[in-house]
Amino acid sequence: MSNNEEEFNGPAEIHCFAGLLFDMDGTIVDSTDAIEKHWHKLGKELGVDPEVILATSHGRRSIDTLQLYDPYKANWEYVSHVEGLIPREFGADAVEVPGAGTLLATLEAEKVPWAIVTSGTRPLMTGWLDVMNLAHPKFHVVAEDVKAGKPDPACYILGRERLGFRPEDTMVVIEDAPAGVRAGKAAGCKVIGLATTHPIHRIREAGADWIIKDLQSVRYVGKHEQRVKIEISNILRS
């Protein structure tokens, strides 16, 4: 059964969280086509079949992928440079995940604690936000900030810390990739899985607490005792 045939009609639920932590690619921006073109270009330079690279690169830091094929290029100066070019060269091939713009603008306007936690570099993250004209978070965690990428939970633990919260504070992670879902769960967070890029069974196996189609099903509805009230609707029926 494909993702489009699944039943996303579960009743709406309202939950309270200390803050929200968003993945970037596949969660806020769908840059799949742009990233594929990027790796085809880079694969030719590396002398590696781009399809081989693409089979394992999604949700993974570029520096970790490059380490497999050309360790000499696996440094932050090079990775930041080539990733910074992606929104400029292939911006027309990316689209906003439905609901992302409205949700992020609302969170920012209501001063809700939120951050982006991405496997991409800082130039890639800011480039996409600029190209898509989306709200910039005050806090973020990018590939350069952690020693190990997802599914290691360090990125989401750091995201929680940067928002000023403790391990006992309930955070919600919003992710599309199984590795990211696992990272969020390992960090002690609740996880909303988006069925935007991966088969649903893989998101479910990774441990997502809720699975929805896109960010149109996530809505800020207020605050309660210093916590953020979030409505999650059109949830996948298990």
Side-chain angles (χ1 to χ4, degrees):
M1 182 179 288
S2 71
N3 288 8
N4 290 333
E5 295 171 331
E6 296 281 0
E7 294 187 358
F8 290 91
N9 56 10
E13 301 177 9
I14 294 179
H15 296 274
C16 292
F17 305 105
L20 297 87
L21 300 172
F22 291 83
D23 172 50
M24 184 73 188
D25 188 33
T27 299
I28 295 174
V29 173
D30 183 354
S31 60
T32 302
D33 291 346
I35 296 300
E36 287 186 358
K37 288 184 177 181
H38 160 70
W39 280 116
H40 272 84
K41 174 186 172 184
L42 215 55
K44 290 178 181 178
E45 294 177 11
L46 298 172
V48 179
D49 182 352
E51 295 304 323
V52 173
I53 299 175
L54 288 166
T56 58
S57 63
H58 186 78
R60 192 177 195 175
R61 299 187 306 173
S62 292
I63 197 166
D64 298 325
T65 299
L66 285 168
Q67 187 66 43
L68 299 174
Y69 304 107
D70 190 343
Y72 178 76
K73 288 184 168 62
N75 63 81
W76 289 122
E77 182 178 2
Y78 177 76
V79 172
S80 294
H81 170 68
V82 295
E83 286 200 351
L85 294 175
I86 297 173
R88 284 185 276 166
E89 293 184 345
F90 307 116
D93 297 293
V95 295
E96 171 192 321
V97 168
T102 298
L103 178 59
L104 298 187
T106 300
L107 297 180
E108 192 64 17
E110 297 294 336
K111 296 181 170 54
V112 171
W114 70 285
I116 290 176
V117 179
T118 176
S119 298
T121 57
R122 187 172 289 102
L124 180 61
M125 180 196 72
T126 57
W128 282 132
L129 294 176
D130 288 341
V131 167
M132 298 292 169
N133 196 28
L134 296 169
H136 285 245
K138 293 182 176 63
F139 301 97
H140 57 259
V141 177
V142 293
E144 306 97 302
D145 292 330
V146 292
K147 291 183 178 180
K150 302 169 186 178
D152 190 285
C155 57
Y156 281 119
I157 292 172
L158 182 56
R160 179 174 59 215
E161 292 174 351
R162 287 189 171 172
L163 287 178
F165 296 116
R166 300 165 296 180
E168 58 266 32
D169 294 319
T170 304
M171 307 291 295
V172 64
V173 162
I174 305 177
E175 265 280 0
D176 71 299
V181 172
R182 290 191 174 92
K185 295 299 293 182
C189 304
K190 292 292 186 179
V191 178
I192 298 173
L194 301 189
T196 52
T197 59
H198 289 77
I200 284 172
H201 73 272
R202 292 190 59 200
I203 304 171
R204 183 184 286 121
E205 289 167 359
D209 297 282
W210 306 274
I211 301 176
I212 57 178
K213 276 188 176 180
D214 53 45
L215 292 180
Q216 293 180 105
S217 294
V218 179
R219 188 167 68 94
Y220 167 77
V221 293
K223 293 182 181 178
H224 176 69
E225 296 180 350
Q226 305 301 313
R227 297 205 299 167
V228 184
K229 292 172 67 177
I230 296 294
E231 179 188 78
I232 308 168
S233 60
N234 300 312
I235 302 166
L236 176 69
R237 289 186 180 273
S238 57

